Amino acid sequence: MTSVITRTSVVDPADWIESAACDQPDRSFIKTPAGRELTYAALLDHSARYAAALMRRGVVSGDRVAVQVDKSTEAVLLYIACLRLGAVFVPINVANTLNEVDFFLRDSAPRVAVIRPADCPVLEPSATRAGVAHVETLGENAEGSLIELVRRVDDSSLPARRVDPNAPAAIVYTSGTTGRSKGAVLSRANLASNAAALVEAWQFTADDVLLHTLPLFHIHGLFAAINTALAARSCVLLLAKFDAAAVLEHLPQATVYMGVPTHYTRLLHEPGLNREASACMRLFVSGSAPLLSETHREFLRRTGHAILERYGMTETLINTSNPYHGLRKPGSVGTRLPGIEIRVAHDSPAAGEQDDARGALEVKGPNVFAGYWQDAEKTQHEFTPDGWFKTGDLGRIDDDGYVHIVGRAKDLVISGGYNVYPKEVETELDALAGVSESAVFGIPHPDFGEGVTAVVVPEPAAELSEADLIHSIQSRLARYKIPKRILVVEELPRNAMGKVQKNVLRAAYASLYQQ
Ligand code: AMP
């Protein structure tokens, strides 16, 4: 019999592995499409060997281990080794450039950097210049110097672990779409409490198989996915990357899927996506970017599953979720998770008009990070005097307690002195015939300060004209909210997590009104 683990039963992330290996050694933790399988007992043994390899390189509790590698079972083992050793895991997006990686290495000052073998000629000298003591390599097919080091381990006993819930477990650099990336320091208690809240909220059990296609350098794929599975002793079916056809092929072996909205729109393009293909699934979760209501409805129609949308961020992990039982409202990110508080502040300069229910979202709870790495000033700036974290998102909370996000505070457009919430305009544009999706943003305008501007992506074969689009929304929105220009584009610029990069759009169209 399996049972849902309650929040109070989790003390430290390393307990997940140790207790699961003790109670259920033969249960699978990881399976791969290539037929590889790792039980919880093997996880305990292998991760101890990785930890011992790191110790051979001088890593002790509190040392940073920076990791920029392709997704693999070994990458997961390296993360778990850090958890067990008390080392601070610093995941780096594989898309980051040399210049960015150089900054992360100088900033986090890791004892060891683990990189892809192919990046070694360029990155190793840079890491050495940044003062990193040891550079190891790890390839996607279990090759590289780290693996050699692990093979040579003859004693994999770990030092006695001192459990300090406030000790840092990871430094995750924010995606930096609104400025320079900052290193968010997440404690062991942050990880443990959030995983426990998600096990409870999403009813995870040891019988679950999580189909994993997300990257491991972001909180979604690493913490929301891997940690929740570990805390519930579930199995992870690890795919190297997202591929709609591969997801469809593996759905019958899985029970839960976690994805970003782009995954769901791509899955909807698969003719084979239907009730039969998803009959074994009990839950589809979406997050990291807004899920269109249209995608939610279409997915429900095709599969019978209402996608469960949740809301989180690097600094706080997951804050809110639509309910497992009960109404999953399309367009809402759900209610606060157990133990977490969320409020709307109306006194922020970015908040809406005085009588507007919308404002700046602020969060408090055991999920909220300790601060930015070695940046007390920035940390202080992002918290209110009474200790709430300023998420930088704008939203409202409806009468049922469901949170609705209306956009990033930095994306709010102030045109002619009026606040325009991009989401409101995007919702109207998205509802028009022939429009697949849209993005609304503000750029300098000689008359209005900022001009509301939109780009729209047409449905396949649809012909869209700017004049018709503007005409169609004129009866639906106040005049000051109507975009001054609506440009038809092939696609929206997105980052690896599917977030639309409005900074890229603002830069691309910066001089549109300057003639
Ligand atoms: P990151 O720190 O990269 O995870 O980005 C966090 C940001 O993603 C949040 O502050 C939100 O702006 C956005 N985000 C995450 N989940 C959602 C969601 N379900 N709907 C809308 N925006 C979201």
Coordinates of all heavy atoms in Angstrom, one line a residue, residues 175 218-219 286-290 309-315 333 391 393 405 408 499, ligand 1:
S175 N 16.6 33.8 -14.7 CA 16.7 33.8 -16.2 C 17.2 35.1 -16.8 O 17.6 35.1 -17.9 CB 15.5 33.2 -16.9 OG 14.3 33.8 -16.3
H218 N 16.8 24.3 -14.4 CA 15.7 25.2 -13.9 C 15.0 24.6 -12.8 O 14.9 23.4 -12.7 CB 14.8 25.5 -15.2 CG 13.8 26.6 -14.9 ND1 12.6 26.3 -14.5 CD2 13.9 27.9 -15.0 CE1 11.9 27.5 -14.4 NE2 12.7 28.5 -14.7
I219 N 14.3 25.4 -12.0 CA 13.6 24.9 -10.8 C 12.4 24.0 -11.2 O 12.1 23.1 -10.4 CB 13.1 26.0 -9.9 CG1 12.1 26.9 -10.6 CG2 14.2 26.8 -9.3 CD1 10.9 27.2 -9.8
S286 N 1.1 22.2 -15.8 CA 1.7 23.2 -16.6 C 2.2 24.4 -15.7 O 1.5 24.8 -14.8 CB 0.8 23.7 -17.7 OG 1.4 24.8 -18.4
G287 N 3.3 25.0 -16.1 CA 3.8 26.1 -15.4 C 5.0 26.8 -16.1 O 5.4 26.3 -17.2
S288 N 5.6 27.8 -15.5 CA 6.7 28.6 -15.9 C 6.4 29.7 -16.9 O 7.2 30.6 -17.1 CB 7.8 27.7 -16.6 OG 8.4 26.9 -15.6
A289 N 5.2 29.6 -17.5 CA 4.7 30.7 -18.4 C 3.2 30.5 -18.4 O 2.7 29.4 -18.1 CB 5.4 30.5 -19.7
P290 N 2.5 31.6 -18.9 CA 1.0 31.5 -18.9 C 0.5 30.5 -19.9 O 0.9 30.5 -21.0 CB 0.6 32.9 -19.2 CG 1.8 33.7 -19.5 CD 3.0 32.9 -19.3
E309 N -2.7 24.1 -13.8 CA -1.7 25.1 -13.9 C -1.3 25.6 -12.5 O -2.1 25.7 -11.6 CB -2.3 26.3 -14.7 CG -1.1 27.3 -15.0 CD -1.5 28.4 -15.9 OE1 -2.7 28.5 -16.3 OE2 -0.6 29.3 -16.2
R310 N 0.0 25.8 -12.4 CA 0.6 26.3 -11.2 C 1.6 27.4 -11.4 O 1.9 27.7 -12.6 CB 1.2 25.1 -10.4 CG 2.7 24.8 -10.6 CD 3.2 24.8 -12.0 NE 4.6 24.6 -12.2 CZ 5.6 25.5 -12.3 NH1 5.3 26.8 -12.3 NH2 6.8 25.2 -12.6
Y311 N 1.9 28.1 -10.4 CA 2.8 29.3 -10.5 C 3.9 29.3 -9.6 O 3.8 29.0 -8.4 CB 1.9 30.5 -10.3 CG 2.5 31.8 -9.9 CD1 3.5 32.4 -10.7 CD2 2.2 32.5 -8.7 CE1 4.1 33.6 -10.4 CE2 2.8 33.7 -8.3 CZ 3.7 34.2 -9.2 OH 4.3 35.4 -8.8
G312 N 5.1 29.5 -10.1 CA 6.3 29.6 -9.3 C 7.4 30.4 -9.9 O 7.2 31.0 -10.9
M313 N 8.5 30.5 -9.2 CA 9.6 31.2 -9.7 C 10.9 30.8 -9.0 O 10.8 30.1 -7.9 CB 9.4 32.7 -9.5 CG 9.2 33.1 -8.1 SD 8.4 34.7 -7.9 CE 9.3 35.6 -9.1
T314 N 12.0 31.1 -9.6 CA 13.3 30.6 -9.0 C 13.4 31.0 -7.5 O 13.9 30.1 -6.7 CB 14.5 31.3 -9.8 OG1 14.3 31.1 -11.2 CG2 15.8 30.8 -9.4
E315 N 13.1 32.2 -7.1 CA 13.3 32.6 -5.7 C 12.3 32.0 -4.7 O 12.6 32.0 -3.5 CB 13.1 34.1 -5.6 CG 14.2 34.9 -6.3 CD 13.8 35.3 -7.8 OE1 13.0 34.5 -8.4 OE2 14.4 36.2 -8.3
V333 N -3.8 30.6 -11.9 CA -2.7 29.7 -11.5 C -3.1 29.0 -10.2 O -2.2 28.4 -9.5 CB -1.4 30.4 -11.4 CG1 -0.9 30.9 -12.8 CG2 -1.5 31.6 -10.4
T391 N 7.4 39.5 -5.8 CA 7.6 38.5 -6.9 C 7.9 39.3 -8.2 O 8.5 38.7 -9.1 CB 6.3 37.7 -7.1 OG1 5.3 38.6 -7.5 CG2 5.9 36.9 -5.9
D393 N 5.6 40.1 -10.1 CA 4.4 39.8 -11.0 C 3.2 40.6 -10.5 O 3.1 40.9 -9.3 CB 4.1 38.3 -10.9 CG 5.1 37.4 -11.5 OD1 5.5 37.7 -12.6 OD2 5.6 36.4 -10.9
I405 N -2.7 35.9 -12.9 CA -1.5 36.7 -13.2 C -1.8 37.6 -14.4 O -2.3 37.1 -15.4 CB -0.3 35.8 -13.4 CG1 0.0 35.1 -12.1 CG2 0.9 36.6 -13.8 CD1 1.2 34.3 -12.0
R408 N 4.3 40.6 -15.7 CA 5.4 41.1 -14.9 C 5.2 42.6 -14.7 O 4.8 43.3 -15.6 CB 6.7 40.8 -15.6 CG 7.0 39.4 -15.9 CD 7.5 38.6 -14.8 NE 8.7 39.2 -14.2 CZ 9.1 38.8 -12.9 NH1 8.4 37.9 -12.2 NH2 10.2 39.3 -12.4
K499 N 9.1 30.9 -22.0 CA 8.6 32.3 -21.6 C 8.9 33.2 -22.8 O 10.0 33.2 -23.4 CB 9.5 32.8 -20.4 CG 9.0 32.4 -19.1 CD 9.7 33.1 -18.0 CE 10.4 32.2 -17.0 NZ 9.4 31.4 -16.3
Ligands
AMP1 P1 11.6 31.7 -13.4 O1 12.2 32.4 -12.2 O2 12.5 31.6 -14.5 O3 11.0 30.4 -13.0 O4 10.4 32.7 -13.8 C1 9.4 32.9 -12.9 C2 8.3 33.8 -13.6 O5 7.6 33.0 -14.6 C3 7.2 34.2 -12.6 O6 7.6 35.3 -11.9 C4 6.1 34.5 -13.6 O7 6.3 35.8 -14.2 C5 6.3 33.4 -14.6 N1 5.4 32.3 -14.4 C6 5.7 31.1 -13.8 N2 4.6 30.3 -13.8 C7 3.6 31.0 -14.4 C8 2.2 30.7 -14.8 N3 1.7 29.6 -14.5 N4 1.5 31.7 -15.4 C9 2.1 32.9 -15.7 N5 3.4 33.2 -15.4 C10 4.1 32.3 -14.8

